[in-house]
Amino acid sequence: MQLAIKLIFAQVGIDQIIDNGAATSQSIAEGWDKQWLDLLQNNTNNNLYGALTNLGIFFAVGTLLFFMIQFLKDLISYEYTRPISALIWPFIVVVLLSNSGSGSILSNLTLGVRNVLNTVNQQVVVSADADKIYQQALNMSVAEEVAGSLLRPCQSLTGEQQNQCFVKAAEKINVLWQKYREIYGNKIWINRLQTKVDNIRYGTGIVSETSFNSLLGSAVQTSIKNFLVSLQYAFQNLIEATMLLIAVLGPIAVGGSLLPVAGKPIFAWLTGFLSIGIAKISFNIIAVLTAAVIVNGPGQDIKVVDSPDLMWFIIFLGILAPVLSLLVAAAGGFAVFSAINSTTSLVKERI
């Protein structure tokens, strides 16, 4: 019974953490805010970002030699048109890497872009999750596991002992139903699952052996669901960590942008940063839209007698949605990089 009690309290904890789909994304982003500020704004003369800024300046000084060689070569070959347009790069590098100790222009711009991406992400999730659809779908997927974990120890008992076990389990499960109704209202999927549990408890109605075993589930299935739910939170934290890593490497990309090559490192860095932002937004859109299919479909269908198997939804959130969002981000990043390079070439021709 200790495992069952832990599971029901874990479920209550999930409700508090993900008051809705937007709160999940927001709470994860806010958890990383201090790291962003500590690295990119606070005391940047002595922290990791300051050290990488110095490394970026070192790269800029080293690549300046190659830049000057190419500049003189262009000056001889093209007179003044192309060399003058190229002089903007040393100016950009100096301005972006100027470190005042409370953040450089590059670090402040990076934080600004991150804030814009987070704001867009929150607007997308909040507008699509007005009825707490994401939370409902997630709880629909795990509520049966929580109820089953409380009823499972009663399966091996008989007679009065089994009845007493059902009574104690029902008291804990009723707390779960009450909490769900406080959050979502009197939803059909809650009534359906409560009826299923009551039929098992009181021995009323017709509950098939398959349905009974499905509700009780197994410890392995419960562990798998818990793992997959944790996996999607791990992915969202991985997105935040990757964004921070790319942001910290910004000075090196800027410092290497004086190399006389067609594709500037700063463009590749900016593309990578925006791609991770696209992956973050894509994941939340995919999760909310898929949740809406569940909640507005079998979740509210009166004709559905038995609770649908939503293991596919947990697998989708934990594995398939992260993969799909990364593929979308890769495609979007390639499009952004191509657009930046095309714009740069057009500007060069016009200047």
Side-chain angles (χ1 to χ4, degrees):
M1 285 296 291
Q2 289 183 352
L3 174 61
I5 293 171
K6 287 180 180 178
L7 282 170
I8 194 168
F9 278 116
Q11 177 63 26
V12 173
I14 288 176
D15 288 335
Q16 292 172 346
I17 293 173
I18 51 171
D19 186 45
N20 50 43
T24 305
S25 177
Q26 186 176 10
S27 62
I28 291 175
E30 288 176 352
W32 285 86
D33 283 348
K34 188 175 185 302
Q35 292 297 323
W36 279 83
L37 294 176
D38 286 344
L39 280 176
L40 272 68
Q41 272 194 342
N42 300 333
N43 194 23
T44 51
N45 283 331
N46 300 317
N47 64 5
L48 175 63
Y49 191 82
L52 291 175
T53 299
N54 293 334
L55 181 60
I57 294 173
F58 175 77
F59 281 176
V61 172
T63 56
L64 183 61
L65 176 62
F66 297 99
F67 176 83
M68 292 305 300
I69 293 174
Q70 184 66 39
F71 177 80
L72 293 175
K73 181 180 177 181
D74 292 341
L75 188 64
I76 296 172
S77 302
Y78 299 95
E79 295 183 350
Y80 294 101
T81 55
R82 183 172 173 181
I84 290 176
S85 64
L87 284 176
I88 192 175
W89 281 110
F91 175 76
I92 291 175
V93 170
V94 170
V95 170
L96 291 179
L97 295 182
S98 298
N99 188 3
S100 63
S102 58
S104 61
I105 293 179
L106 176 63
S107 66
N108 291 325
L109 288 175
T110 304
L111 283 171
V113 173
R114 188 227 179 198
N115 291 336
V116 170
L117 291 174
N118 282 343
T119 300
V120 172
N121 180 65
Q122 286 305 112
Q123 289 175 345
V124 168
V125 175
V126 169
S127 61
D129 198 33
D131 296 322
K132 301 181 180 180
I133 292 175
Y134 175 73
Q135 183 195 8
Q136 279 197 67
L138 189 60
N139 282 321
M140 283 177 63
S141 305
V142 299
E144 191 167 305
E145 294 297 321
V146 176
S149 66
L150 291 168
L151 293 172
R152 194 177 300 131
C154 307
Q155 189 178 23
S156 58
L157 303 176
T158 58
E160 185 61 26
Q161 287 184 333
Q162 187 180 62
N163 292 334
Q164 291 298 322
C165 181
F166 280 149
V167 169
K168 293 179 180 179
E171 291 176 355
K172 296 182 176 67
I173 296 173
N174 286 335
V175 175
L176 190 62
W177 304 150
Q178 182 180 357
K179 184 170 182 63
Y180 283 158
R181 288 191 173 96
E182 289 175 357
I183 298 174
Y184 312 123
N186 195 27
K187 298 294 183 180
I188 293 175
W189 66 270
I190 302 175
N191 296 333
R192 182 193 303 139
L193 191 54
Q194 183 178 12
T195 300
K196 188 175 179 181
V197 172
D198 289 342
N199 288 340
I200 293 174
R201 175 189 172 186
Y202 297 112
T204 59
I206 300 175
V207 181
S208 65
E209 186 70 19
T210 302
S211 179
F212 182 72
N213 292 333
S214 173
L215 178 61
L216 296 185
S218 66
V220 174
Q221 184 176 353
T222 301
S223 299
I224 292 174
K225 282 194 174 183
N226 289 337
F227 171 74
L228 292 173
V229 170
S230 299
L231 196 62
Q232 61 115 352
Y233 289 122
F235 174 74
Q236 293 187 63
N237 279 282
L238 178 63
I239 289 290
E240 292 292 335
T242 305
M243 286 185 71
L244 182 57
L245 175 63
I246 294 175
V248 168
L249 295 177
I252 298 178
V254 173
S257 295
L258 292 181
L259 286 171
V261 293
K264 298 293 184 183
I266 188 174
F267 295 153
W269 170 79
L270 181 60
T271 301
F273 193 77
L274 292 177
S275 297
I276 295 299
I278 293 173
K280 180 178 180 178
I281 296 172
S282 299
F283 176 81
N284 285 305
I285 293 175
I286 294 168
V288 171
L289 292 180
T290 309
V293 172
I294 294 173
V295 173
N296 298 327
Q300 298 299 326
D301 192 349
I302 301 177
K303 298 178 181 178
V304 177
V305 178
D306 201 1
S307 299
D309 183 10
L310 298 180
M311 187 66 180
W312 70 268
F313 178 63
I314 301 296
I315 295 174
F316 188 86
L317 279 184
I319 300 175
L320 301 181
V323 172
L324 180 58
S325 62
L326 290 176
L327 291 175
V328 171
F334 179 77
V336 170
F337 187 72
S338 300
I340 291 175
N341 278 337
S342 299
T343 304
T344 305
S345 301
L346 179 63
V347 171
K348 272 187 175 182
E349 292 175 359
R350 295 294 179 87
I351 297 180

